Amino acid sequence: MLKIPAQKPNADIEVLIIDAQALVHTVIRGALLDAGIKQVKSAHNAYSALRLCQTTRFDMVLIAFDVKSDKDGFNLLEEMKYKGYITKTTCVIFLSADTSQGLVNCVVEMEPTDFWVKPLDRSKVIKRIHHILTIEKKLYALRYYFDQNEYPKVIYYAERQLEDPSLTMYYPHINRLIGKSLFNIKEYQAAQEFYQKLAKSYSYAWVQLGLAATLLKQNKIDEATELTTELLQRDDTKFATYDLLAEYHIDNEDYQQGYEIIQEATKLAPRSIERNRKSWNLARLNHDKVGQYLATKNIAKYAKNSIHDSPDLQLNVIRSGLDLAATLSDTESDKVLVSIEKSIERLKQEFGSTSDLADQLTIIEVRRLNLRQNKKQAEQVMLEHSRASALKNFEDNLDKVKAFHEVGLWEQSMRLLEQMKDDVENDSFTGKVLSEYLEQESKERQDIRYSPKELGEMASAYYKNKRYKPAYNLLCQAAQLSPNNPNITITLLKVLAILAEEDGLSDEETLSVEKCLETLEEATLSEVQQTKVNEYNERIDKAGVLQD
């Protein structure tokens, strides 16, 4: 049987205070002494805090958001968790004068024990310290078993603690652990009934969120929709509800809806690296090149000075920028490429001498040359690098697949892509999305051998020679790869208008018209673009194609 370690007496509890303000240290240290806690260390910046964590295992950490000189408290907290300095049994209290919704959402997601708003009031701090210590001691055994994933034991002990009248004030905490445990062992019906019973007595947000999660897991859509609609109207439940809905839609392979929800959640907590990664991967799957570019930029921005910071993040921004440039007009593409080329130079200056980046920068150079119309040079560089062997990670390999494809080495591209498909696990949110993305890439790269920009240029040549059917086919391929590009969609609508006037449209072409109009209705168009859409739509109507 799993033996529970003995609890420390207050006098032996190790505490770390991390804050740039001396007054904060004074107030908190006094409150801790009042509670009988004497082992207190102070750090005024992230560097000092991490040094102290190397030699001491702290039981309680109080960490300020505005830690000065190196990194903010959010990134520091994340790094301390990553390095194991903070575990599930560590009491974490976050301190901040900033109470903006975006920051609060991000902090809540890190699951601290408490969140204190500065400036601190000594009497309130004393009260909160005593309250936290009492809860930690009362729920120690339950939390220990929960941290060890011993969920049946959690339920067993929790149900007995609910019979103890002296623990009445802790019943909500105990019940919360029971609900989570039922959910984690996939007893969804039992969890639903448990949360429904709690809802009669408790108005806590976690009760409603737990109920929503169990309904979604059981695919009880009507009940789940009614509840989540209500929860999305509440500030205290909106953020978590978006996460639940996104996971539900991904599980059901509705990637477009999942992407839209993740985007909304990202707006609420923009600092979340993990959520930006989800947004990035879903953007790729949904052919949203702009969304992909913005997501990689956000990841690089918010990971700065964090445990996640690395040159790979800048590589990903450059790569997604190249993907975007391949879908734009010459003028727009040039603007993006100029920005990318500056980023490449900065990356070379900072990391160019490291052999780890040599292959990646070579592949990026091939793609850049191709976009700059130096196709012969791009092909030559790629031929010198033509081994279809895998590189060190997913993104490096994916970029190599694209480079092979773009210079016309299609067999090598498909061979490497097939290798990648075997290496992706699809038992997680990210794994499912990436697995689906690789399947999509495999099919599209087999069927479509050119970029949206190249397809548009080829279609333009056919159009000038009045070969409208081939132009239509090429534009359909371009629209498949870049469905959110209004210029491609408007050009496709123009060609369809001509086909409608000349010979009428097939059923497939009629459906294509309807899809174009739906896409453009949701797009933000300039006055000139809208005028063109209206003109082509009227011409199609006059040809008698779209009739009620």
Side-chain angles (χ1 to χ4, degrees):
M1 183 167 174
L2 191 65
K3 187 176 180 181
I4 304 174
Q7 294 187 63
K8 288 183 177 181
N10 285 2
D12 293 338
I13 292 175
E14 298 275 2
V15 179
L16 174 61
I17 306 169
I18 311 167
D19 197 294
Q21 299 173 330
L23 180 60
V24 170
H25 290 265
T26 301
V27 171
I28 295 175
R29 186 180 289 271
L32 292 169
L33 287 171
D34 186 84
I37 298 174
K38 301 176 181 178
Q39 308 297 324
V40 183
K41 288 187 170 63
S42 291
H44 291 79
N45 56 51
Y47 175 78
S48 299
L50 292 170
R51 285 290 300 272
L52 288 169
C53 287
Q54 290 173 3
T55 56
T56 304
R57 172 71 68 180
F58 291 101
D59 305 293
M60 179 184 292
V61 177
L62 298 98
I63 180 169
F65 171 71
D66 52 338
V67 179
K68 294 181 180 177
S69 77
D70 34 18
K71 60 185 70 182
D72 64 39
F74 183 84
N75 286 331
L76 177 57
L77 177 57
E78 193 172 34
E79 181 168 350
M80 291 171 77
K81 283 192 169 190
Y82 180 83
K83 290 182 174 179
Y85 299 150
I86 287 177
T87 66
K88 291 179 181 178
T89 55
T90 309
C91 178
V92 177
I93 300 169
F94 204 82
L95 316 171
S96 178
D98 182 356
T99 57
S100 62
Q101 196 63 49
L103 175 66
V104 172
N105 286 336
C106 290
V107 171
V108 168
E109 193 167 27
M110 298 296 288
E111 297 183 349
T113 308
D114 211 349
F115 183 12
W116 296 353
V117 178
K118 297 196 293 183
L120 302 178
D121 178 273
R122 189 174 187 277
S123 61
K124 290 181 180 179
V125 169
I126 291 173
K127 186 177 179 181
R128 290 303 301 168
I129 288 288
H130 282 279
H131 178 70
I132 288 168
L133 290 173
T134 303
I135 290 177
E136 292 294 311
K137 290 181 184 298
K138 292 284 186 180
L139 303 183
Y140 177 74
L142 283 183
R143 286 182 173 165
Y144 178 78
Y145 280 130
F146 190 86
D147 291 342
Q148 299 300 315
N149 301 324
E150 295 280 348
Y151 303 120
K153 287 184 179 178
V154 172
I155 296 169
Y156 176 83
Y157 282 101
E159 287 176 344
R160 276 144 189 77
Q161 284 194 322
L162 289 175
E163 296 172 359
D164 183 348
S166 69
L167 298 176
T168 303
M169 68 180 294
Y170 308 113
Y171 283 178
H173 301 277
I174 297 168
N175 278 312
R176 189 170 189 176
L177 291 175
I178 293 176
K180 285 184 175 182
S181 296
L182 287 169
F183 190 88
N184 287 341
I185 59 176
K186 300 183 179 180
E187 293 286 346
Y188 300 129
Q189 179 61 38
Q192 176 191 336
E193 293 169 1
F194 180 75
Y195 282 121
Q196 286 173 330
K197 182 179 177 181
L198 287 183
K200 296 176 182 178
S201 305
Y202 296 149
S203 59
Y204 299 118
W206 58 264
V207 175
Q208 298 300 319
L209 288 167
L211 178 56
T214 60
L215 291 171
L216 288 168
K217 283 295 184 183
Q218 296 174 86
N219 215 28
K220 296 182 178 180
I221 302 306
D222 291 341
E223 294 173 77
T225 300
E226 182 179 354
L227 179 56
T228 54
T229 300
E230 293 177 6
L231 296 178
L232 287 173
Q233 304 305 311
R234 292 171 49 177
D235 289 338
D236 61 336
T237 55
K238 182 187 295 185
F239 181 69
T241 304
Y242 277 130
D243 279 349
L244 291 177
L245 290 171
E247 184 175 346
Y248 169 78
H249 287 295
I250 297 306
D251 285 343
N252 286 274
E253 299 183 2
D254 186 351
Y255 300 107
Q256 177 61 40
Q257 187 66 26
Y259 178 40
E260 291 173 7
I261 290 169
I262 281 292
Q263 285 180 300
E264 290 300 316
T266 303
K267 291 176 188 174
L268 290 175
R271 300 182 64 88
S272 170
I273 303 299
E274 183 57 32
R275 187 164 291 102
N276 274 300
R277 286 191 189 280
K278 289 179 180 179
S279 183
W280 171 30
N281 288 324
L282 286 166
R284 292 196 283 199
L285 186 56
N286 286 285
H287 295 102
D288 184 359
K289 306 301 184 187
V290 174
Q292 175 186 328
Y293 188 41
L294 293 176
T296 53
K297 289 177 76 172
N298 281 339
I299 292 169
K301 173 182 176 182
Y302 291 116
K304 195 71 176 173
N305 296 324
S306 79
I307 191 66
H308 303 288
D309 199 4
S310 79
D312 286 339
L313 301 186
Q314 292 302 322
L315 285 172
N316 291 335
V317 175
I318 292 167
R319 290 161 173 164
S320 62
L322 292 169
D323 290 344
L324 174 60
T327 70
L328 302 174
S329 66
D330 287 341
T331 303
E332 293 170 322
S333 179
D334 185 65
K335 289 179 182 177
V336 175
L337 284 172
V338 168
S339 175
I340 288 170
E341 286 162 350
K342 289 179 181 177
S343 296
I344 292 172
E345 287 307 309
R346 284 196 297 270
L347 195 63
K348 284 180 178 178
Q349 289 172 11
E350 192 169 355
F351 301 103
S353 60
T354 63
S355 57
D356 286 348
L357 296 185
D359 282 342
Q360 293 95 320
L361 289 170
T362 298
I363 298 301
I364 282 173
E365 179 63 9
V366 169
R367 300 191 64 203
R368 187 194 71 81
L369 287 169
N370 192 63
L371 284 168
R372 285 297 191 190
Q373 305 301 316
N374 295 324
K375 296 184 179 295
K376 216 168 182 185
Q377 189 179 351
E379 184 179 357
Q380 184 59 43
V381 174
M382 200 63 204
L383 283 169
E384 294 170 2
H385 198 280
S386 62
R387 292 175 294 105
S389 55
L391 296 176
K392 68 174 184 176
N393 66 38
F394 181 92
E395 298 306 331
D396 295 342
N397 287 322
L398 182 59
D399 211 38
K400 193 169 183 178
V401 166
K402 293 174 182 177
F404 275 133
H405 189 90
E406 288 162 4
V407 300
L409 298 173
W410 296 311
E411 288 185 9
Q412 289 94 323
S413 176
M414 294 305 299
R415 195 179 308 135
L416 181 54
L417 191 54
E418 288 303 314
Q419 284 180 253
M420 291 178 65
K421 287 163 66 174
D422 294 335
D423 295 335
V424 173
E425 301 289 339
N426 61 358
D427 58 351
S428 65
F429 181 103
T430 300
K432 288 175 187 174
V433 175
L434 291 182
S435 181
E436 184 70 18
Y437 173 66
L438 289 180
E439 287 296 332
Q440 177 178 279
E441 281 285 293
S442 183
K443 184 177 186 309
E444 289 179 349
R445 291 187 182 280
Q446 188 72 43
D447 298 340
I448 305 172
R449 295 193 166 183
Y450 301 96
S451 71
K453 185 177 179 181
E454 290 169 328
L455 290 165
E457 291 169 351
M458 293 160 65
S460 178
Y462 279 125
Y463 180 86
K464 289 174 182 175
N465 289 295
K466 299 185 178 180
R467 299 185 63 192
Y468 301 120
K469 284 282 187 181
Y472 163 74
N473 291 330
L474 290 169
L475 287 168
C476 283
Q477 291 184 350
Q480 182 181 342
L481 297 179
S482 190
N484 300 312
N485 188 313
N487 290 327
I488 291 174
T489 309
I490 291 170
T491 304
L492 177 55
L493 193 64
K494 177 174 71 171
V495 172
L496 285 163
I498 295 172
L499 291 174
E501 292 168 339
E502 290 192 344
D503 300 310
L505 300 182
S506 66
D507 290 343
E508 179 188 314
E509 290 163 347
T510 301
L511 287 173
S512 185
V513 170
E514 292 173 353
K515 189 174 180 181
C516 285
L517 293 174
E518 287 175 6
T519 300
L520 293 169
E521 188 176 343
E522 295 178 2
T524 302
L525 304 178
S526 67
E527 188 175 338
V528 172
Q529 287 175 320
Q530 189 61 59
T531 299
K532 289 180 179 179
V533 171
N534 294 340
E535 176 197 334
Y536 304 144
N537 194 15
E538 287 174 12
R539 287 168 61 182
I540 292 169
D541 281 343
K542 284 181 182 178
V545 175
L546 298 178
Q547 296 183 2
D548 295 333

